[in-house]
Amino acid sequence: MYFQMRKISPFLIIFIALTVGSCGARKDPYSSFARVQRVQISGTEQIDEKDILPYLYTGPGDLYSPFSSSKNAGNIQNYYYQLGFFHARVVSGIDSLTEAGYILLYSVFEGERSLIKSVTLTGFDSALDMSVFKKNNILPGQPLNQMNLSMVMIAIASEYINRGFYNVKIQDTILPADLDSLAMNVFITIDTGSRVFIDQIEILGNRNVRTKIIEMESRLKRGQIFSPDLLNRARSNLYYTGLFSFVSVKPLPSKLHEDSLKVIIKVEESKISFFLVSVHYKSDRKAGINIQWGNNNLFGNAQRISVSASYKTDFYGEYSENVELNYSEPYFLGTSLIFSSYIKAERIGYGERNLEYIELSPSLGKRISASGVLYSGLVFRRAWIDTASTENELKFSMSKFTNSFVFGYSFDSRDNPFSPTTGLKQDIRFQVAGKFLGGDNYFYRMGWDWVRLISSSKLGCYIFLRSTWTFPYDRSLENGISPDQKLTLGGVNSLRGYPENSLGDIDELNQRSGNILVNGMTQAHYTLGDFAIEVFFDAGGLWNSAQDISSYENIGFSLGTGFIYNTPAGPLRLEFGVPLAGEHRYKGLIQFAFGNPF
């Protein structure tokens, strides 16, 4: 800002009030007569009049004051001065009062504009990004624009500050090439000072989360080179844990040493435990209930535990019962290893066919970057399968063991794990079942999940891609893998508008499944407070072998819309999708879900 509003003497206010009151009928000071109806600037040849209006002290629609004329004249002249018109001046200014309000008329003399003859930098290093000069037209032969020059200086200062030179000082000097010349030499002097390091980290406001955990989650360390970007990432990291409703990360320079500072982290903790009950009903006559309890800071070290139970039925004999326990510890035994484990049991009934299984999976991970984790784990599953032949209805039962080893890489830069709006998440994994681990199923499985979220103001969108390929080998090459290890496609978290698990070939349980899955989901939404309106398009396919991909069978597309209610634990989604291919074509379906599909 170039100008500040002056304080008006109270005696002047009283004098004006008395004067107005003595001149007949009183008028509202905020009525149209006291406002500026129009501003006109003549003599503008090189500068568009519209570009000047935002810089006026009193513009169209503003209240007129005794200072409007002089302040506007000064602002017009300063605007020209900033653009290199050092000889510009306001020749005249006239204020006229009409029935509609004041009309302000100004006449300007622009004069000639100064050009940049040379740009000289001192005190810089070779790492400085020089493209900022070209972006802002601060180059020899270009018209002088001091506003753009200021943008260049801000960009240079930001670059040095983010490299640790927190006390950098930048000064510009503009001198004419000679006394009568309009050519200007621009000099920029950079004094970087010494690099600044983080000397202390002070944490305030935590009650249940331990100080050490906050410091580790922030990724800040004593001795680090300071930069504002480092503090922004620390703030995002702490928010991402879900443990805090408020996070502030601010620097406090040292009074004794200019090369060090203290970082102060202030937090307000969120509610650590939650209990959720959700009931849903779908238009394909399927209903269910889900109950979930969890704690996000079990022992003060950010350990998470959750227990969930669900029941679904179609009222015609098909049902599923599920119980699951999850536990994770980001700093296992005080180390940098990430431990997680789950155990789940499920019973699925398809009339006379039933599937029951119990699965246990412990894993360890190691963070290798701010957002990336390498992990490996074991998965043990025992399944009990009761099947009936579709030809002669002869029932038989079998028990299957699947022991596998999984390793992979996960990257997650989303801004929030529960209701993300921006960021990238992907998971690349490889699974080996059988071999030295034994069991009844022998297969290799490769998987890749990728999601990109973009948000701008109230608009947002995401693209979610998922692909999983299964290759049986050894004893499973001829007999195939058991149906409990097959992949499924269709439903509210894969192909919206399609019934659950409605694509693929028929398996031993008379259900649709496959070994190779390709799925894509796209969505755009408009947010209004805690609510959002969405439109989506999904596509996918599920096959038993690579040879089947060339056919057009078991491929689905859907289009739809829905409503979202954002809760602290994740979004509640009510969606209506219409399949565009397959046996369910044009049969719309209303579906309900909690959480994101990725």
Side-chain angles (χ1 to χ4, degrees):
M1 297 294 293
Y2 298 109
F3 298 91
Q4 295 181 349
M5 185 174 180
R6 297 179 182 175
K7 294 183 179 179
I8 301 175
S9 169
F11 297 103
L12 179 59
I13 296 175
I14 295 172
F15 172 77
I16 294 172
L18 292 174
T19 303
V20 172
S22 63
C23 295
R26 293 186 178 181
K27 295 184 179 180
D28 181 3
Y30 295 97
S31 63
S32 61
F33 94 93
R35 294 185 179 273
V36 175
Q37 189 250 340
R38 179 164 57 92
V39 177
Q40 182 176 331
I41 305 172
S42 61
T44 55
E45 297 179 358
Q46 303 178 65
I47 301 297
D48 193 331
E49 179 184 356
K50 295 179 181 179
D51 295 337
I52 304 175
L53 294 180
Y55 294 89
L56 296 179
Y57 175 81
T58 305
D62 295 337
L63 286 174
Y64 178 82
S65 78
F67 308 103
S68 295
S69 183
S70 60
K71 289 281 190 179
N72 278 354
N75 283 17
I76 292 171
Q77 188 160 326
N78 266 281
Y79 180 77
Y80 273 99
Y81 181 86
Q82 293 296 321
L83 295 183
F85 293 89
F86 294 120
H87 301 292
R89 65 182 184 274
V90 177
V91 178
S92 63
I94 302 173
D95 302 351
S96 301
L97 178 60
T98 67
E99 290 289 335
Y102 279 92
I103 297 177
L104 309 183
L105 305 175
Y106 300 95
S107 177
V108 300
F109 169 75
E110 291 182 337
E112 294 186 53
R113 189 173 187 177
S114 298
L115 300 177
I116 299 174
K117 182 178 181 181
S118 66
V119 179
T120 305
L121 277 75
T122 56
F124 72 101
D125 55 35
S126 58
L128 180 63
D129 181 11
M130 305 298 288
S131 65
V132 66
F133 290 90
K134 184 176 181 180
K135 293 177 183 176
N136 290 276
N137 289 323
I138 302 299
L139 297 170
Q142 295 292 327
L144 177 63
N145 187 326
Q146 296 188 75
M147 297 180 186
N148 288 357
L149 181 58
S150 297
M151 296 300 295
V152 168
M153 295 174 65
I154 292 172
I156 294 174
S158 298
E159 181 177 339
Y160 275 103
I161 289 172
N162 282 318
R163 286 161 52 189
F165 297 98
Y166 186 63
N167 299 313
V168 63
K169 298 177 182 178
I170 302 178
Q171 182 178 357
D172 68 320
T173 305
I174 302 173
L175 297 175
D178 53 64
L179 293 177
D180 299 323
S181 175
L182 291 172
M184 297 291 170
N185 295 321
V186 178
F187 300 90
I188 299 177
T189 303
I190 304 172
D191 180 10
T192 62
S194 57
R195 265 199 168 100
V196 177
F197 297 85
I198 297 176
D199 181 53
Q200 299 179 57
I201 301 174
E202 184 177 357
I203 298 172
L204 306 172
N206 56 313
R207 294 176 290 106
N208 298 307
V209 184
R210 295 180 182 177
T211 298
K212 181 181 178 182
I213 296 300
I214 297 175
E215 187 172 329
M216 295 173 73
E217 288 288 350
S218 72
R219 314 282 195 270
L220 295 176
K221 297 179 181 179
R222 293 170 179 82
Q224 272 183 316
I225 297 175
F226 169 81
S227 74
D229 285 347
L230 202 63
L231 300 192
N232 291 334
R233 289 197 298 269
R235 184 173 177 272
S236 298
N237 292 339
L238 291 173
Y239 265 126
Y240 190 81
T241 63
L243 299 173
F244 309 104
S245 60
F246 171 78
V247 178
S248 171
V249 185
K250 295 183 178 180
L252 180 63
S254 172
K255 295 181 180 180
L256 300 177
H257 307 286
E258 65 174 20
D259 62 345
S260 64
L261 53 73
K262 177 196 292 187
V263 175
I264 300 176
I265 302 175
K266 292 183 180 180
V267 299
E268 292 180 9
E269 296 180 358
S270 303
K271 188 176 180 180
I272 60 174
S273 61
F274 60 90
F275 180 76
L276 299 171
V277 178
S278 61
V279 179
H280 66 268
Y281 178 80
K282 303 177 183 178
S283 55
D284 58 348
R285 297 184 59 83
K286 290 185 178 181
I289 183 172
N290 182 75
I291 302 173
Q292 185 177 15
W293 172 88
N295 189 300
N296 293 326
N297 188 36
L298 189 61
F299 303 117
N301 289 330
Q303 298 98 331
R304 299 176 185 272
I305 187 171
S306 65
V307 182
S308 63
S310 65
Y311 177 79
K312 300 177 184 177
T313 181
D314 68 349
F315 304 104
Y316 291 100
E318 183 175 322
Y319 69 92
S320 68
E321 302 167 342
N322 177 284
V323 178
E324 187 170 346
L325 170 67
N326 286 276
Y327 175 81
S328 64
E329 187 168 343
Y331 303 100
F332 184 55
L333 300 178
T335 68
S336 59
L337 295 177
I338 303 170
F339 172 79
S340 63
S341 179
Y342 70 82
I343 181 171
K344 62 181 178 180
E346 186 169 15
R347 176 186 296 163
I348 306 173
Y350 308 103
E352 295 183 344
R353 290 165 292 274
N354 296 282
L355 167 64
E356 300 178 18
Y357 71 85
I358 183 170
E359 182 173 291
L360 170 67
S361 176
S363 65
L364 281 176
K366 170 68 175 177
R367 191 177 300 278
I368 60 173
S369 67
S371 304
V373 175
L374 280 175
Y375 64 89
S376 62
L378 299 171
V379 183
F380 305 101
R381 173 184 283 201
R382 182 176 182 182
W384 297 268
I385 305 168
D386 295 329
T387 66
S389 169
T390 56
E391 297 178 357
N392 54 24
E393 295 297 325
L394 294 176
K395 294 184 178 181
F396 65 93
S397 300
M398 57 182 173
S399 175
K400 292 286 187 178
F401 287 91
T402 305
N403 305 322
S404 60
F405 173 74
V406 181
F407 63 93
Y409 170 74
S410 176
F411 179 90
D412 193 348
S413 64
R414 296 175 299 167
D415 59 342
N416 186 303
F418 306 108
S419 299
T421 58
T422 61
L424 172 69
K425 179 184 179 183
Q426 69 172 338
D427 184 76
I428 304 170
R429 58 199 174 276
F430 184 75
Q431 182 179 3
V432 180
K435 282 288 186 182
F436 59 91
L437 294 172
D440 299 302
N441 286 307
Y442 282 62
F443 61 83
Y444 301 107
R445 177 168 287 168
M446 296 180 293
W448 175 69
D449 297 349
W450 182 91
V451 61
R452 180 73 170 93
L453 299 106
I454 302 173
S455 179
S456 176
S457 185
K458 295 181 179 181
L459 295 174
C461 67
Y462 70 72
I463 300 174
F464 177 37
L465 303 176
R466 170 171 45 197
S467 179
T468 304
W469 294 66
T470 308
F471 303 96
Y473 71 96
D474 203 296
R475 66 180 67 174
S476 295
L477 188 60
E478 181 178 353
N479 301 326
I481 61 177
S482 60
D484 67 290
Q485 287 292 341
K486 291 289 189 74
L487 306 172
T488 59
L489 180 64
V492 71
N493 289 321
S494 56
L495 273 177
R496 289 167 282 194
Y498 284 83
E500 297 288 332
N501 310 335
S502 56
L503 277 79
D505 294 328
I506 300 295
D507 59 23
E508 296 93 329
L509 290 170
N510 201 30
Q511 300 300 306
R512 294 188 177 276
S513 61
N515 292 327
I516 299 174
L517 180 148
V518 177
N519 182 209
M521 304 178 72
T522 61
Q523 176 180 301
H525 51 266
Y526 182 80
T527 302
L528 295 168
D530 291 331
F531 293 89
I533 304 171
E534 65 173 28
V535 292
F536 59 81
F537 175 77
D538 300 339
L542 183 62
W543 308 273
N544 268 324
S545 65
Q547 290 76 14
D548 300 331
I549 298 177
S550 59
S551 68
Y552 290 98
E553 296 181 0
N554 299 320
I555 296 177
F557 305 91
S558 67
L559 187 68
T561 185
F563 296 94
I564 301 172
Y565 175 66
N566 290 306
T567 72
L572 287 170
R573 298 150 49 206
L574 180 64
E575 298 167 326
F576 174 73
V578 179
L580 304 177
E583 62 179 289
H584 301 282
R585 186 179 182 184
Y586 302 143
K587 298 177 182 178
L589 191 62
I590 297 175
Q591 297 168 307
F592 174 86
F594 175 75
N596 290 296
F598 42 82

